[in-house]
Every structure is written in structure tokens, then in C-alpha cells.
Amino acid sequence: MHFIDDLRGTGARRLSRARFRLLSLLACLGLCLAAALTATGGTAQASRDGGPGTGTLADSTIIDSTGVSGQTVAFTFDDGPDPSNTPALLEVLRQQNVKAVFCLWGEHVQQNPDLVRQIVADGHTLCNHSWNHSDMGSWSPDQIRADLEQTTAAIQAAAPGAPIPYFRAPNGSWGQTPGVAASLGMQPLGWRLAINDWEPSSADQLAQRLRSGITAGAVVLMHDGGGDRSATVSAVSTVIPEFKAQGWTFTLPAPPR
């Protein structure tokens, strides 16, 4: 009888240990599942905090370079999309296999949503350039946020899901815009070279400004909207093959940090 009782006791202890191991395993799985759900929630929150459609974090630093050493340059175009100039510019960039940044007016986006979709389809990068190019230098953060959110909403309505990683202040009048843009997940985008194509200029003059003004790593400011930009389109068409022949690489500005 004692022998049988001993066997029963041994079996009970083994069963107890097995139950303990099972319960421990289940507890471990529960903790892992909770951690995974927390991480997923954190990622979703980070994406929301990073701004609509960006999923990135940004800071208030105004970037003006490619962030890459050597003969690299980034072309950016403001004030579009424009029904005359933007398609011509896109054709030039397509032929030359160059990607650029397009800094868009909200009103122009609303008027030409198909062009926004074409810009995205061609692999270019979008930038919020305010609703109607008003000077924001003296605006409050709440005023700035409302304008940037309205512009972003118009861009995303035209091209759902397209990232908008940059913001550029109209006229370079930054004021408090860098901090607000960063809070919306957009890196403030400056420039090292502006060819002043908003002034009356010939294509040859603009091309020469590009030749003499481009430096390694520079972000270049040009326009495809806000007026007749045919001279800019022609200058870009001329200069890209020249710089490529000299070993230059056309890339994008440094990404959001």
C-alpha cells in the first residue's frame, strides 16, 4: 500500500510540475502578446505623430543639402502644379531620369489634382508649400498649423497615401513654421541656390546661373508654377545632361531626421 501511495504521490507531483510549466508557458505567451500589441499601438501612434501620410519624424532644422558627399545636387520646384509648365517639366525629368521635389500650393493642387497624381506616378517627392503662398513670418503656430493641414489635406485628396516629407515656407519667411511643420512630420526645406527665375530671364541666363551656382550637395530652388516658367524648363533640359557628363548625380534633399 505504501508503495502504491508513493507512486500516487510521485504522479501527483509530476502532474503538478506539468501544470506549473503549462501555466508558466501560458503566462509567458500572454506577456509576449501584450508586448506585441503595445508595440503595434506605439508604432501607429508614432505614425500619427509623424504627420499625415508620412510615418516619419522630423525636427525644426531647415535642411539645404543632399546630405551626401561628392558631386550631388537636388532640384526642387515651387508654386505648382501648373497646367502648362508642370507637364513640360515632368517630360524633361522623365527623359533625363531625374527625380525632384515639387513644393505645391494647396489652391493649385485643388485646381489640378491630376497633375499631383502624375508627379507622384513619376516617382517625385512632394512638399507642402502652403495654401496660397501667403507670408507666414508673423503668423501664430495655430494659424500656421491650420494652413499646413489644409494644404496637406488637399494633396492627400489628390494623391491618397502619397508621403509629404517636406515643408517650404513661402518666400523663405520662416517665422514659427519650422516647429509647426516638424510637429506635422514635415522637415523644413531650404535651399543653397535660387536662380531667381521669378524675375524676367532667358533660358540661357537661367542655365548659366545653374552652371555657376551649383555646389556639391546643394538644394536648388526653381519654379514650375506662379507664372510662365518655360525658360526654367528649357534651362533644366539644357543643364542636366551637362552636369551628368561631368559626373554629377541628381538626388533628393536630405531626408527627414
Side-chain angles (χ1 to χ4, degrees), residues 125-180:
T125 301
L126 303 181
C127 170
N128 183 318
H129 195 38
S130 84
W131 183 252
N132 59 7
H133 211 264
S134 296
D135 190 312
M136 298 179 167
S138 62
W139 287 18
S140 71
D142 286 344
Q143 290 174 306
I144 295 167
R145 179 178 293 272
D147 187 286
L148 269 56
E149 288 181 338
Q150 182 183 14
T151 305
T152 288
I155 294 171
Q156 293 187 329
I164 311 168
Y166 303 109
F167 163 76
R168 175 172 281 163
N171 304 315
S173 184
W174 292 99
Q176 299 186 68
T177 63
V180 176

Side-chain angles (χ1 to χ4, degrees), residues 92-113:
V92 168
L93 297 176
R94 195 178 302 121
Q95 291 174 356
Q96 298 295 336
N97 193 29
V98 167
K99 305 303 180 189
V101 177
F102 285 79
C103 301
L104 308 176
W105 282 25
E107 283 186 339
H108 292 174
V109 166
Q110 201 171 57
Q111 294 162 4
N112 304 283

Side-chain angles (χ1 to χ4, degrees), residues 185-254:
M186 296 180 288
Q187 191 74 33
L189 177 60
W191 60 88
R192 288 187 182 175
L193 172 64
I195 63 171
N196 294 10
D197 55 351
W198 58 87
E199 300 173 350
S201 307
S202 69
D204 288 342
Q205 288 173 320
L206 296 180
Q208 186 54 40
R209 290 172 197 169
L210 287 168
R211 295 186 189 103
S212 62
I214 289 177
T215 56
V219 172
V220 180
L221 167 62
M222 295 174 280
H223 294 78
D224 67 315
D228 180 7
R229 306 303 183 196
S230 57
T232 300
V233 175
S234 180
V236 168
S237 179
T238 298
V239 167
I240 289 177
E242 295 177 0
F243 271 75
K244 280 187 172 183
Q246 297 169 22
W248 286 77
T249 299
F250 291 84
T251 184
L252 298 176

